Amino acid sequence: MKLYALATLFLLPIWILFWHAILSRFTRHRWPRQKTAIYASLSAVMVCSFIILVFERHFDPTLLAFTLVIALSLGHVYFHFFNMGETARRIRLLTKLATKQTWTDGSYDETQMIRTRLQRLVDLRQIDFDGFRYSTRPTLLRWAARNIASYREILFPRSR
Amino acid sequence: MVCQSLAVALISLEYWWVGIASYALSHYVHIGWWKRHHIRQHLVPLAIVFGIPILVLPACLDFNPDQWVAPVLTHASLAAQYIAIYPAFQAISPTLEILDWLRKTKSASEEQILAACRERSPVGDRIRDLENGGLIVRQSNGFELSIRGRLLAQIFIRYRALLGLSLGAG
């Protein structure tokens, strides 16, 4: 693999950032933010992988496998970095402090935080709301939630 | 001349799969270590378990850059993406808890969900995480950011501004 092709591949998070910054300005009032981030990451991964193969000017299964493993990993890293800024309570607490909004242990509104997450899940079509009750849907995120809970049991067996 | 040489320099992908094997081994060690010991500070143990192979792989491949660059980069990418999702395993995410809880109960009212989430993952635990991580410091009238906390907060504030988005709601 040529060095400049490798460099292009490893700068993928930067390419995703630029593309995401453009896309989010068009979709911020139409799409949920995570949806925009997912589309930006996946499309950049596909385009970057294609460009790498064009740089190399030949098709090789090893090259394709290596490119896809690296590109998907880096795209995944970018998405979770974005998602952390969007949904993580710890980041929210840090930015509240940084923007001079002081708080003590009790002043972070947990009820509003949970309501925000419920609305986010409805907007992303991960759960349904009929006006009175929330109900589940068979989605990839629900499957991930179940497996994350199981994996946490393995990593932290004393947590329950 | 140097740029031209760098442009056509080739990296061998012959041993790239060794990076997958080294990541799998690191992950196995990670699970075993976490199961046996109560980990409070997560960053340093993660850096050790996933960082050591990056130093060891070149030695295993005769310090020949043509052989070790691709596996090291593969290992580093896989390790980075695992560390990116690690907070979801380490801290109970209300979003994932809502989904998993709804999966078991099939449906629930907002009040039931609020009660369940407050019980499972109070925000006090997240504040404790920030204190343990050295990102905030407790003062008499609340909390203040440490230098590291200030840096991390600024990264996210500027990143969100670059995307044209307001700060996340948490």
Side-chain angles (χ1 to χ4, degrees):
Chain A
M1 189 176 196
K2 296 186 182 71
L3 192 60
Y4 65 80
L6 193 66
T8 304
L9 183 59
F10 274 87
L11 289 174
L12 180 60
I14 305 294
W15 311 139
I16 299 175
L17 173 61
F18 287 143
W19 174 225
H20 188 192
I22 295 170
L23 199 62
S24 71
R25 283 168 167 82
F26 287 101
T27 62
R28 60 183 157 196
H29 300 302
R30 291 175 211 157
W31 287 357
R33 293 172 177 182
Q34 277 99 337
K35 183 177 177 181
T36 304
I38 290 169
Y39 272 70
S41 301
L42 277 177
S43 55
V45 162
M46 288 191 299
V47 169
C48 187
S49 302
F50 177 75
I51 288 174
I52 299 295
L53 294 176
V54 168
F55 273 162
E56 294 296 313
R57 293 183 191 165
H58 71 277
F59 177 77
D60 173 11
T62 302
L63 174 65
L64 180 64
F66 176 74
T67 302
L68 285 178
V69 166
I70 303 298
L72 288 169
S73 297
L74 294 178
H76 197 217
V77 170
Y78 178 87
F79 173 75
H80 280 287
F81 181 76
F82 166 79
N83 200 46
M84 203 181 343
E86 181 70 19
T87 65
R89 287 174 294 168
R90 284 173 280 193
I91 301 301
R92 179 72 179 131
L93 292 169
L94 288 177
T95 53
K96 274 172 81 79
L97 275 179
T99 51
K100 306 297 182 194
Q101 299 172 62
T102 57
W103 45 268
T104 58
D105 281 295
S107 71
Y108 186 86
D109 190 346
E110 288 193 56
T111 301
Q112 186 54 44
M113 180 269 294
I114 293 166
R115 285 191 176 130
T116 299
R117 284 159 192 265
L118 285 169
Q119 185 58 49
R120 194 180 284 147
L121 286 170
V122 170
D123 291 341
L124 289 170
R125 300 189 185 181
Q126 300 299 311
I127 59 176
D128 291 320
F129 181 56
D130 63 7
F132 300 100
R133 295 178 74 82
Y134 294 91
S135 57
T136 187
R137 302 181 90 197
T139 64
L140 185 62
L141 191 58
R142 190 184 81 170
W143 175 86
R146 179 182 184 176
N147 286 284
I148 285 171
S150 302
Y151 183 65
R152 187 184 301 118
E153 289 284 318
I154 296 171
L155 271 189
F156 306 104
R158 291 172 230 179
S159 64
R160 301 208 180 198
Chain B
M1 191 77 169
V2 171
C3 291
Q4 212 172 7
S5 302
L6 284 174
V8 298
L10 293 176
I11 302 295
S12 169
L13 300 182
E14 185 182 357
Y15 293 103
W16 80 277
W17 55 268
V18 174
I20 297 179
S22 72
Y23 169 77
L25 181 62
S26 291
H27 204 117
Y28 177 76
V29 169
H30 158 58
I31 291 174
W33 184 356
W34 263 241
K35 279 179 75 171
R36 282 166 179 73
H37 302 280
H38 180 57
I39 305 292
R40 271 182 94 221
Q41 298 270 3
H42 301 265
L43 192 59
V44 171
L46 280 175
I48 290 171
V49 79
F50 288 105
I52 283 179
I54 293 174
L55 304 173
V56 169
L57 274 173
C60 296
L61 293 167
D62 297 327
F63 292 104
N64 183 351
D66 199 43
Q67 291 182 345
W68 61 256
V69 170
V72 164
L73 294 177
T74 305
H75 174 98
S77 300
L78 292 171
Q81 64 92 29
Y82 176 74
I83 290 170
I85 61 174
Y86 178 78
F89 307 132
Q90 179 263 325
I92 292 173
S93 160
T95 302
L96 298 177
E97 284 293 293
I98 289 168
L99 282 172
D100 199 43
W101 193 71
L102 275 175
R103 178 184 63 82
K104 294 170 191 165
T105 59
K106 304 300 179 200
S107 75
S109 65
E110 185 181 277
E111 289 71 29
Q112 288 171 312
I113 294 172
L114 285 169
C117 283
R118 282 199 203 99
E119 184 189 311
R120 286 284 293 133
S121 178
V123 76
D125 288 352
R126 301 291 73 75
I127 294 172
R128 203 160 25 253
D129 287 340
L130 291 174
E131 272 190 279
N132 289 341
L135 295 170
I136 61 175
V137 178
R138 190 180 286 267
Q139 304 290 340
S140 54
N141 61 340
F143 294 91
E144 269 186 18
L145 290 172
S146 65
I147 293 174
R148 281 171 53 208
R150 208 167 294 136
L151 178 64
L152 187 60
Q154 283 302 322
I155 287 172
F156 278 97
I157 289 168
R158 289 171 198 277
Y159 168 60
R160 302 289 293 193
L162 190 63
L163 294 179
L165 299 174
S166 56
L167 291 176

